[in-house]
């Protein structure tokens, strides 16, 4: 099935992260981060494998010190030995030059935080002169250049990951607590990377408040366009919390930008087991037509016209067909709105008067007058007759279908 949304993804330069390509023309990549301490190698290996089996395509590992960076070699080797190759990112923050250089030896991507990479405690200053700005940028370049060279030498990617909550004092004084400071913080690092001939980069601009996150990413795109840059963007609402609200909050930010064609890789950050993030990511992408990882069910909300117990019927149809990834199946309670509203579905299961079911192929009625108790059986028979049925092979360990946008 070809997915053809009503919007075009922003054209970006490709970013190569091990075997993954992040950027337009490639499927939006789903990523997450383990919660185990990096020195606990066995637990890290276990969680990385669990995340990858759940469908996570890029796994981030916290790397706060040189000791943790050195652990990445063993983690990488054991994951590969036990499970196969999993793309890994090292998450580097404070005073990170030596840490990032070591990490680049072992993982596919190094993430640095511009607000912390060359770290100075906040001193309640109220002004920075142009000379002081230049001095700070020179200090950043001195610290960043060895990391750039390491990434070039080992063929690694870099994520320049800005967080709204960890901007440097210089950016806060100059731009305020705004998306402008987030964007300028990233641009300083991008300019240095380009000066040193390195462009295998992606960017993130995250905030815990959705409007800030959306505004920062929109501004990042505009400013990159102004400077002739086209780096891909990693989207996420940081510190979203847990439960239903965290999922809604993350979706509000991520989906808003994706529908504008902005975004090439995503993470839904939950204060839960990171495995729980993966289905939310794939559901966001499927709802926007960016990835297809399960059957799409179209179902009416039910009303007084509904001719059967819709929740029960939907459950029964799903249980019988949920393994047929790629199909769109509509379950509609009546013939008033059903045939029109399910027009995009491949197959339709529609309630009719007298306790009967009508089956559709697209807009075509295939069979009507089916007793309700035989409805699911007849739907399966139709799928078999059309050659789209496959016998269930057990639950897949990971979503395997990823359809990119044009």
């Amino acid at each position: 099935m070809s997915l053809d949304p009503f919007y075009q993804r922003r054209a970006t330069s490709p970013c190569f992260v091990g075997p993954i390509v992040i950027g337009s023309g490639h499927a939006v990549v789903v990523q997450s981060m383990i919660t185990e301490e990096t020195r606990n190698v066995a637990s890290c290996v276990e969680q990385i494998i669990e995340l990858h089996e759940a469908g996570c395509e890029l796994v981030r590992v916290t790397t706060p010190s040189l000791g943790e960076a050195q652990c990445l070699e063993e983690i990488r080797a054991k994951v590969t030995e036990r499970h196969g190759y999993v793309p890994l990112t090292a998450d580097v923050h404070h005073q990170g030059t030596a840490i990032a250089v070591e990490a680049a030896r072992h993982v596919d991507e190094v993430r640095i935080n511009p607000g912390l990479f060359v770290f100075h405690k906040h001193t309640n200053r109220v002004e920075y002169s142009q000379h002081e700005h230049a001095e700070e940028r020179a200090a950043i370049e001195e610290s960043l250049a060895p990391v750039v060279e390491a990434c070039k030498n080992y063929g690694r990617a870099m994520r320049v990951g800005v967080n709204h909550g960890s901007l440097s004092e210089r950016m806060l004084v100059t731009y305020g607590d705004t998306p402008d400071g987030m964007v300028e913080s990233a641009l300083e690092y991008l300019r240095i990377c380009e000066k040193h001939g390195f462009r295998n980069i992606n960017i993130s601009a995250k905030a815990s408040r959705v409007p800030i996150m959306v505004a920062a990413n929109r501004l990042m795109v505009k400013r990159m366009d102004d400077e002739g840059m086209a780096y891909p963007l990693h989207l996420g609402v940081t510190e979203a919390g847990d439960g239903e609200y965290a999922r809604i909050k993350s979706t509000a930010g991520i989906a808003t930008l994706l529908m504008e064609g902005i975004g090439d890789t995503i993470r839904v950050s939950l204060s839960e087991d990171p495995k729980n993030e993966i289905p939310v990511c794939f559901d966001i992408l499927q709802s926007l037509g960016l990835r297809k990882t399960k059957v799409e069910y179209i179902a009416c909300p039910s009303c007084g016209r509904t001719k059967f117990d819709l929740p029960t019927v939907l459950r029964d149809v799903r249980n019988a067909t949920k393994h047929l990834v790629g199909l769109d199946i509509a379950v509609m309670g009546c013939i008033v709105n059903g045939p029109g509203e399910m027009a995009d579905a491949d197959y339709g299961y529609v309630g009719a008067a007298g306790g009967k079911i009508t089956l559709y192929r697209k807009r075509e009625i295939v069979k009507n007058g089916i007793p309700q108790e035989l409805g699911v059986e007849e739907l399966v028979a139709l799928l078999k007759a059309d050659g789209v049925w496959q016998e269930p092979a057990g639950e897949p360990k990971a979503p395997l279908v990823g359809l990119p946008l044009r």
Side-chain angles (χ1 to χ4, degrees), residues 387-399:
V388 299
W389 178 262
Q390 300 173 14
E391 292 300 326
E395 292 293 327
K397 289 187 175 181

Side-chain angles (χ1 to χ4, degrees), residues 164 177-179 182 205-217:
H164 180 237
D177 187 13
T178 66
M182 298 172 66
K206 294 189 177 183
S208 59
R209 288 182 284 168
V210 171
I212 299 274
M213 173 264 194
V214 170
N217 280 277

Side-chain angles (χ1 to χ4, degrees), residues 124-145:
N124 298 317
R125 295 188 57 173
V126 296
E127 186 177 4
Y128 277 81
S129 68
Q130 291 300 314
H131 177 69
E132 288 172 319
H133 276 288
E135 284 185 331
E136 286 291 325
R137 286 192 290 268
I140 292 170
E141 182 171 2
E142 182 179 359
S143 295
L144 186 60

Side-chain angles (χ1 to χ4, degrees), residues 105-362:
R105 297 178 56 221
H106 312 299
V107 299
D108 306 282
E109 179 184 61
V110 175
R111 182 268 173 132
I112 59 173
N113 182 339
L116 302 174
F117 187 72
V118 179
F119 181 66
H120 300 286
K121 290 184 178 180
H122 288 204
T123 59
N124 298 317
R125 295 188 57 173
V126 296
E127 186 177 4
Y128 277 81
S129 68
Q130 291 300 314
H131 177 69
E132 288 172 319
H133 276 288
E135 284 185 331
E136 286 291 325
R137 286 192 290 268
I140 292 170
E141 182 171 2
E142 182 179 359
S143 295
L144 186 60
V147 182
V148 169
E149 290 307 309
C151 288
K152 289 164 65 175
N153 290 338
Y154 295 114
R156 310 307 190 191
M158 180 186 295
R159 169 149 71 95
V160 178
V162 180
N163 277 1
H164 180 237
S166 59
L167 290 177
S168 69
E169 183 176 59
R170 180 169 59 94
M171 289 297 162
L172 288 171
V173 167
T174 306
Y175 298 98
D177 187 13
T178 66
D180 299 80
M182 298 172 66
V183 171
E184 187 57 40
S185 187
L187 286 173
E188 285 189 345
Y189 279 70
L190 296 177
R191 294 179 191 121
I192 292 170
C193 288
E194 290 194 345
K195 178 181 176 182
H196 289 263
F198 182 68
R199 290 177 170 80
N200 195 30
I201 300 167
N202 64 92
I203 310 163
S204 62
K206 294 189 177 183
S208 59
R209 288 182 284 168
V210 171
I212 299 274
M213 173 264 194
V214 170
N217 280 277
R218 287 172 175 164
L219 182 60
M220 188 77 74
V221 169
K222 181 181 183 303
R223 293 295 306 280
M224 281 199 289
D225 286 346
D226 292 341
E227 299 202 20
M229 298 175 178
Y231 296 111
L233 287 169
H234 167 57
L235 303 181
V237 178
T238 190
E239 299 165 350
D242 65 352
E244 181 181 37
Y245 181 66
R247 288 158 171 80
I248 293 171
K249 186 176 180 181
S250 294
T251 301
I254 293 169
T256 296
L257 290 164
L258 287 173
M259 289 187 67
E260 297 175 11
I262 297 171
D264 304 279
T265 175
I266 65 172
R267 179 194 176 192
V268 170
S269 298
L270 300 178
S271 302
E272 303 175 18
D273 187 318
K275 292 196 304 292
N276 295 345
E277 299 175 1
I278 308 308
V280 187
C281 290
F282 279 106
D283 282 352
I284 291 171
L285 296 176
Q286 174 140 336
S287 72
L288 300 178
L290 292 169
R291 299 284 294 263
K292 187 80 169 183
T293 54
K294 61 184 182 181
V295 177
E296 181 84 13
Y297 292 98
I298 301 165
C300 64
S302 188
C303 70
R305 296 189 300 269
T306 300
K307 302 303 181 183
F308 49 65
D309 181 356
L310 197 139
T312 299
V313 172
L314 177 59
R315 181 198 64 208
D316 292 343
V317 171
R318 180 183 285 112
N319 287 342
T321 61
K322 62 184 178 181
H323 61 291
L324 301 174
V325 175
L327 286 184
D328 292 353
I329 298 176
V331 179
M332 310 302 289
C334 72
I335 62 170
V336 174
N337 295 320
E341 293 180 357
M342 70 176 197
D344 291 335
D346 299 303
Y347 294 92
Y349 183 110
V350 181
K356 305 297 183 181
I357 299 297
T358 301
L359 292 181
Y360 285 73
R361 183 191 299 112
K362 299 289 187 181

Side-chain angles (χ1 to χ4, degrees), residues 33-166:
M33 183 174 185
I34 65 169
T35 56
E36 296 290 345
E37 292 186 5
T38 310
R39 291 179 187 270
N40 189 342
V41 171
S43 295
C44 287
V45 169
E46 194 69 34
Q47 196 172 38
I48 289 167
I49 292 172
E50 287 179 357
L51 266 174
H52 195 250
E53 289 181 337
C56 182
E57 296 162 313
L58 177 58
V59 181
R60 185 153 46 112
V61 181
T62 186
T63 316
S65 74
L66 188 58
E68 277 86 359
Q70 291 165 343
C71 290
L72 295 173
E73 181 176 15
E74 186 178 1
I75 290 170
R76 157 66 75 210
K78 289 189 173 181
V79 168
T80 303
E81 179 185 4
R82 279 188 50 191
H83 177 71
Y85 199 88
V86 178
L88 298 178
T89 296
D91 198 51
V92 178
H93 286 277
H94 294 84
Q95 305 300 108
T97 301
I99 302 168
V101 168
E102 174 65 20
R105 297 178 56 221
H106 312 299
V107 299
D108 306 282
E109 179 184 61
V110 175
R111 182 268 173 132
I112 59 173
N113 182 339
L116 302 174
F117 187 72
V118 179
F119 181 66
H120 300 286
K121 290 184 178 180
H122 288 204
T123 59
N124 298 317
R125 295 188 57 173
V126 296
E127 186 177 4
Y128 277 81
S129 68
Q130 291 300 314
H131 177 69
E132 288 172 319
H133 276 288
E135 284 185 331
E136 286 291 325
R137 286 192 290 268
I140 292 170
E141 182 171 2
E142 182 179 359
S143 295
L144 186 60
V147 182
V148 169
E149 290 307 309
C151 288
K152 289 164 65 175
N153 290 338
Y154 295 114
R156 310 307 190 191
M158 180 186 295
R159 169 149 71 95
V160 178
V162 180
N163 277 1
H164 180 237
S166 59

